[in-house]
Amino acid sequence: MAETTTIVLVVFLIGAGCIIAFMTAVALSSLGKPLPQAEVSRMGYAARKWWARILGVAVIIAFAVSVPWFPYSGAKVLGSEQHFKVVAQQFSFTLPPSVPSKTPIVFDVTATDVNHGFGIYDPAGKLVAQVQAMPDYVNHLRVDFTTPGKYVVRCLEYCGVAHAQMQSSFEVQ
Amino acid sequence: MTTTLDPRELSAARRVMWTYLITGFAIFALMILIGFSMRMEQAGWIAYAPQTFYSLMTLHGIGMITAVAVASMGELWYLMRLETVLDERLAYWAWGFIVAGAIAVVISVLAGQFGAAWTFLYPLPFVGTWWPSWATGFYLIGVALVTIGWMMWCTQMLGCVLSRYGGFRGALGWDYVFHRRAFEQSGRTPPPPQAYAALVAAVDGVLTGTIGMIIGVALIVHWISPSVVIDPLWAKNLTYFFGHAFANLTIYMAVAGVYVGMPRYADREYHTSVALAVAWWGTLVFVAIAYFHHLYMDFVQIRALQYIGEAASYLSSIPTALVTVYGSLMLVYRSRMRWSLGSLFMFGGLVGWIVGGFGAVLDATIPINSDLHNTLWVPAHFHTYLLEGVVLFVLGWTFMMLEERSGSISSAAVRWLVGLGFFGGGGLFLLGFYIAGAEGVPRRYAVQPAPGPELSGLASVGVIILLIALVIVLVEAIRLAAIARRRTA
Amino acid sequence: MTRRGIAWTLGIIAVLASVIPAFAGVDEPIAIHHLDHSGLVLLGAAAAFFVRDPSAKGSPASGARWLVLTVLAPIAMMFVMWPSLYDYLDAHASLHALEHLVLAALGYVAVAAGERYVRGVGATMGVLMFVMAVLSAAGYGVMKP
Ligand code: HEM
Ligand SMILES: [Cu+2]
């Protein structure tokens, strides 16, 4: 999990670089010898057919690949999982002091006053899981911890004056 | 594009446009300074009480969105005025409502210290706050007034496209797409590209406005009689529908200027095609339903809506990538493009739109969103397509007007400076957000965990460079406007 | 039936549907009550739709007052659907009937004015008002079931 965002950042930067390079090249082409518009259109429409296919396939693949990783189904009752109640309020969390590792954990997350976010950061400081903490509702967040240590919890939904200080932690044993 | 307006009508239409544009730019200028101060605060260069930071953040958010909305509205109104007769009084009424609403919001934030963020989530503005209750009321009423002005403008646009192109069927280009031969044989032509922007802004805008009114009135009613309860999940859905669609529509509105401007700069033709019509049909739908991605981390949300959210978010990128931006690239490729500040802004805006859109699509992928939701990755991508997208579209349109009326353009040195400032400085500013987001630094934090402050400092340097470019832009605009005035006098 | 005939029928149904339930003294949860109101709004809107002159197309060059009416009607509707008043109205039949008539009238006004402005605008607004009233049932003065 920890590395995902690094990969995302790298993918984004490479993608952005390619987009910028390509569009700059197109812009620079206007400094050279001009081509009649009919000619450009013919080439452009032919190329667009492929571009459309690539985009379409990319979208379908990305969607299909992402579905098994959705965080929702994991919260279903497994039978063997351990439930822990998490309550958020301005500006603190009520948490279990420790949870076991290598056991399916389900956090039953709610809030008493306003919306908060329950964001779990691993001992290395990476955001590993999150869910909204809402009044009147309980969200079930499934996490399987593999590394023991101190996990920091931060509020990830703006909730008022001490939002940035709304922090707590628990031990994974 | 041919106009049949006589000089008096034309100048009346221009007056509407400039009223909107200048209002937008004035708000933008103030809000950019607030944004800069927030970034410096996060860097630790200056110190704000958290109350001040969050109040300013609220003002910056609502102010910026209103600024780009107003500017885009003026641009699109003018373009549609060239297509058909529109009542100017209504445009001024809509403008008046928006300005009145903006004033109420400013009072709420500056005098009352309202600081619940621009898209706050019920019950936040009523529970555990530091601002007085009247400030909440002023804010709610202010946003309601802005929404009424927006609704008036959208309804006028709806009337415009329906009456000009023959109802929904004509405005959508239905027969053009499905009965092309008969359509063309009868000598008809489909609506021009900018009319599609107007149609989508009108329909989705009226929809957004009504959704905004449901939650807006519910909140005002709760403010007056607190015994009226509101379901928090329901409120969240409506709030994000409104916020998402309103912010997105600004881009789709402003891009109309690119449809009209880019062919002029490239000295090429650009007309409605079947692909363009169908692309805008897609946009019409996706703008309205992509907002579900704001609720990915609400596991109690109806499951199917999460799937729809991801699909719609992905699909909303296709019309842009396949038609609008691709079409513009075909206009520019090996053309006799005249590069001026106006065309540079338009083209740069397309780059920013696509790059930011890519960042957004990554974030709209649910498993990735688990790690990026409400981190600085979110301001990272939306600042990319707002600051380096819609703002550039509007600036591009403004400079095209100025260049045409003054008959002159800015020097190459100025173009380079502005380009470097906007993309170098702006790029640095955005990079700070992206990296911090990937590091898991939360958004909307007055005081950030590491490495937030260092990156905020880096970003602030970027903002300074960007601000220099913006000053040059302002000077150029004034210079060109003065030449234009002398020419007409 | 002629358009005018349909409009009259719808109008009469709207009046009956406004008055009878108010005096029947039914006690409903707020959500259901919102849904009832959505029906009244729709009836009013539909009546206006059939009243309009099918040959008149309207124009955005004028008719500002019609536009203003069609924009303000939905907001007025949301305020009339003030959830904490419902208990009081359930106990005061004539006021309740009046409230219902106002809701149907707002639906009527939005569509009639919008269609008068430019054909198609009113119908759009009528549908949206119905949607607004239905959506209200999911959370406006209503807690999670
Ligand atoms: C150089 C120019 C700008 C600077 C320095 C700037 C700075 C900022 C900062 C520091 C934040 C708070 C981020 C956080 O910690 O969550 C923010 C949020 C925001 N900005 Fe900007 N911004 C700029 C331009 C813009 C533009 C052009 C727009 C829109 C057209 C915009 C719209 C917003 C919005 C909607 C928010 C969200 C506020 C919220 O979270 O409630 N900004 N900006
Ligand atoms: Cu918080």
Side-chain angles (χ1 to χ4, degrees):
Chain A
M1 274 299 251
E3 290 78 37
T4 29
T5 53
T6 314
I7 299 173
V8 170
L9 181 65
V10 170
V11 168
F12 169 75
L13 291 177
I14 293 175
C18 292
I19 294 166
I20 294 169
F22 179 72
M23 291 182 73
T24 309
V26 171
L28 290 177
S29 76
S30 72
L31 302 179
K33 203 160 92 47
L35 207 62
Q37 189 178 6
E39 191 67 11
V40 175
S41 297
R42 202 183 46 75
M43 283 161 38
Y45 286 132
R48 181 156 81 177
K49 287 219 174 72
W50 287 100
W51 178 219
R53 282 183 198 137
I54 293 170
L55 267 183
V57 170
V59 161
I60 291 168
I61 290 180
F63 191 86
V65 169
S66 73
V67 167
W69 298 90
F70 280 13
Y72 311 124
S73 53
K76 278 210 201 90
V77 181
L78 305 162
S80 62
E81 83 283 8
Q82 285 192 31
H83 283 261
F84 292 94
K85 197 168 164 60
V86 173
V87 183
Q89 58 264 311
Q90 288 170 331
F91 296 94
S92 64
F93 291 98
T94 310
L95 294 172
S98 68
V99 302
S101 64
K102 305 194 176 68
T103 310
I105 306 285
V106 176
F107 292 106
D108 306 321
V109 184
T110 189
T112 53
D113 39 34
V114 301
N115 284 272
H116 300 274
F118 173 60
I120 305 174
Y121 289 74
D122 72 7
K126 288 280 183 182
L127 177 59
V128 288
Q130 66 164 309
V131 75
Q132 291 272 305
M134 273 184 100
D136 301 347
Y137 287 89
V138 180
N139 283 310
H140 304 283
L141 174 67
R142 157 88 184 273
V143 192
D144 297 355
F145 293 102
T146 48
T147 337
K150 184 180 167 198
Y151 284 69
V152 172
V153 170
R154 289 206 180 91
C155 182
L156 283 183
E157 188 61 74
Y158 176 59
C159 59
V161 66
H163 169 55
Q165 280 75 43
M166 187 167 158
Q167 209 188 80
S168 187
S169 66
F170 60 87
E171 255 344 288
V172 171
Q173 277 159 353
Chain B
M1 192 177 50
T2 53
T3 68
T4 48
L5 274 61
D6 65 40
R8 205 176 40 80
E9 287 173 329
L10 197 60
S11 74
R14 286 221 177 95
R15 204 168 314 122
V16 172
M17 180 185 75
W18 285 115
T19 305
Y20 274 76
L21 281 177
I22 290 171
T23 309
F25 284 129
I27 305 177
F28 172 74
L30 293 175
M31 293 307 133
I32 213 162
L33 295 178
I34 291 180
F36 180 41
S37 80
M38 284 156 63
R39 215 66 187 108
M40 290 195 292
E41 194 273 351
Q42 288 172 328
W45 294 5
I46 59 171
Y48 277 150
Q51 288 89 336
T52 312
F53 179 87
Y54 294 122
S55 299
L56 291 178
M57 181 186 84
T58 305
L59 190 59
H60 173 81
I62 186 81
M64 275 298 192
I65 297 295
T66 308
V68 290
V70 170
S72 315
M73 285 158 80
E75 174 200 304
L76 191 50
W77 192 92
Y78 175 75
L79 284 173
M80 295 316 290
R81 177 65 186 85
L82 299 181
E83 292 282 310
T84 184
V85 184
L86 293 171
D87 190 338
E88 277 117 26
R89 280 175 313 161
L90 263 174
Y92 286 117
W93 270 97
W95 176 86
F97 269 100
I98 293 174
V99 170
I103 291 171
V105 166
V106 167
I107 293 174
S108 155
V109 172
L110 293 188
Q113 286 250 313
F114 180 83
W118 83 281
T119 49
F120 57 78
L121 299 173
Y122 172 88
L124 180 56
F126 305 103
V127 178
T129 61
W130 66 83
W131 58 88
S133 170
W134 70 259
T136 305
F138 258 66
Y139 186 85
L140 292 173
I141 291 167
V143 176
L145 290 173
V146 171
T147 310
I148 293 175
W150 164 249
M151 284 287 279
M152 288 171 67
W153 183 91
C154 290
T155 311
Q156 188 180 32
M157 276 298 129
L158 185 62
C160 164
V161 292
L162 292 182
S163 81
R164 173 71 176 78
Y165 304 109
F168 279 108
R169 202 182 168 121
L172 285 166
W174 191 265
D175 292 326
Y176 168 67
V177 171
F178 289 114
H179 311 284
R180 178 116 182 242
R181 182 159 306 155
F183 183 86
E184 280 172 351
Q185 274 168 359
S186 68
R188 292 193 287 161
T189 51
Q194 64 270 30
Y196 280 90
L199 171 73
V200 167
V203 174
D204 281 334
V206 172
L207 181 61
T208 305
T210 49
I211 298 283
M213 282 173 194
I214 306 178
I215 183 67
V217 174
L219 290 167
I220 291 173
V221 166
H222 177 85
W223 175 63
I224 298 171
S225 54
S227 69
V228 173
V229 292
I230 295 175
D231 183 309
L233 185 60
W234 178 83
K236 212 182 241 188
N237 270 285
L238 298 187
T239 303
Y240 282 134
F241 188 122
F242 175 75
H244 172 88
F246 190 44
N248 264 257
L249 284 176
T250 63
I251 311 177
Y252 291 102
M253 286 152 66
V255 83
V258 179
Y259 280 149
V260 174
M262 209 62 132
R264 287 198 211 166
Y265 280 120
D267 196 16
R268 282 184 173 166
E269 302 267 320
Y270 193 67
H271 299 295
T272 296
S273 61
V274 170
L276 183 129
V278 174
W280 280 95
W281 298 355
T283 299
L284 186 70
V285 175
F286 303 139
V287 167
I289 59 173
Y291 88 88
F292 292 125
H293 57 219
H294 289 274
L295 286 100
Y296 282 161
M297 293 300 117
D298 287 281
F299 294 4
V300 281
Q301 171 87 324
I302 299 167
R303 189 65 39 84
L305 299 181
Q306 310 287 22
Y307 286 77
I308 295 175
E310 184 173 294
S313 307
Y314 281 179
L315 291 174
S316 64
S317 67
I318 289 190
T320 306
L322 213 54
V323 176
T324 300
V325 173
Y326 192 88
S328 302
L329 291 179
M330 273 169 46
L331 281 177
V332 173
Y333 182 69
R334 297 186 65 178
S335 65
R336 291 174 210 281
M337 188 81 180
R338 284 181 297 118
W339 289 104
S340 66
L341 268 189
S343 53
L344 208 64
F345 283 145
M346 289 186 187
F347 197 82
L350 293 170
V351 179
W353 191 13
I354 288 283
V355 170
F358 182 49
V361 162
L362 291 171
D363 191 23
T365 307
I366 294 173
I368 297 178
N369 190 262
S370 272
D371 291 355
L372 293 179
H373 193 87
N374 280 351
T375 67
L376 286 174
W377 190 273
V378 181
H381 66 68
F382 74 65
H383 279 94
T384 313
Y385 46 73
L386 293 176
L387 177 65
E388 307 274 1
V390 62
V391 169
L392 289 184
F393 292 156
V394 175
L395 277 175
W397 174 259
T398 306
F399 269 83
M400 189 179 90
M401 292 273 113
L402 290 172
E403 286 160 9
E404 286 185 351
R405 303 210 66 200
S406 65
S408 61
I409 62 168
S410 311
S411 67
V414 165
R415 295 199 309 263
W416 272 101
L417 276 178
V418 170
L420 280 177
F422 244 96
F423 297 107
L428 200 57
F429 162 62
L430 295 172
L431 208 56
F433 275 149
Y434 279 109
I435 297 174
E439 292 283 348
V441 180
R443 72 181 284 200
R444 293 176 166 173
Y445 265 31
V447 181
Q448 298 170 332
E454 289 75 18
L455 290 166
S456 304
L458 187 77
S460 300
V461 174
V463 178
I464 294 172
I465 301 174
L466 175 66
L467 283 177
I468 296 172
L470 278 170
V471 171
I472 300 177
V473 169
L474 179 65
V475 171
E476 278 300 293
I478 294 172
R479 191 180 69 86
L480 293 180
I483 300 177
R485 176 148 305 173
R486 243 177 289 134
R487 268 187 28 159
T488 43
Chain C
M1 209 165 13
T2 60
R3 297 182 64 93
R4 206 144 274 267
I6 299 174
W8 271 106
T9 316
L10 286 167
I12 292 167
I13 296 175
V15 171
L16 292 178
S18 295
V19 177
I20 295 173
F23 284 95
V26 278
D27 198 8
E28 292 171 329
I30 290 173
I32 306 292
H33 206 153
H34 281 327
L35 290 178
D36 293 345
H37 290 170
S38 74
L40 292 173
V41 170
L42 193 63
L43 278 170
F49 185 76
F50 285 103
V51 164
R52 72 159 195 206
D53 172 1
S55 61
K57 294 214 161 70
S59 152
S62 59
R65 57 182 178 283
W66 303 121
L67 181 145
V68 172
L69 276 179
T70 197
V71 167
L72 293 184
I75 308 180
M77 177 192 77
M78 289 306 295
F79 276 110
V80 174
M81 291 187 14
W82 195 296
S84 58
L85 292 184
Y86 284 8
D87 267 350
Y88 179 83
L89 290 174
D90 279 339
H92 296 79
S94 19
L95 266 183
H96 195 178
L98 180 68
E99 188 228 16
H100 284 177
L101 288 172
V102 168
L103 284 169
L106 285 173
Y108 184 92
V109 167
V111 174
E115 290 296 302
R116 188 62 202 272
Y117 178 60
V118 171
R119 179 157 161 188
V121 170
T124 308
M125 204 57 92
V127 172
L128 286 174
M129 276 175 82
F130 174 67
V131 171
M132 287 170 88
V134 171
L135 281 178
S136 298
Y140 181 24
V142 180
M143 293 289 271
K144 184 172 81 113

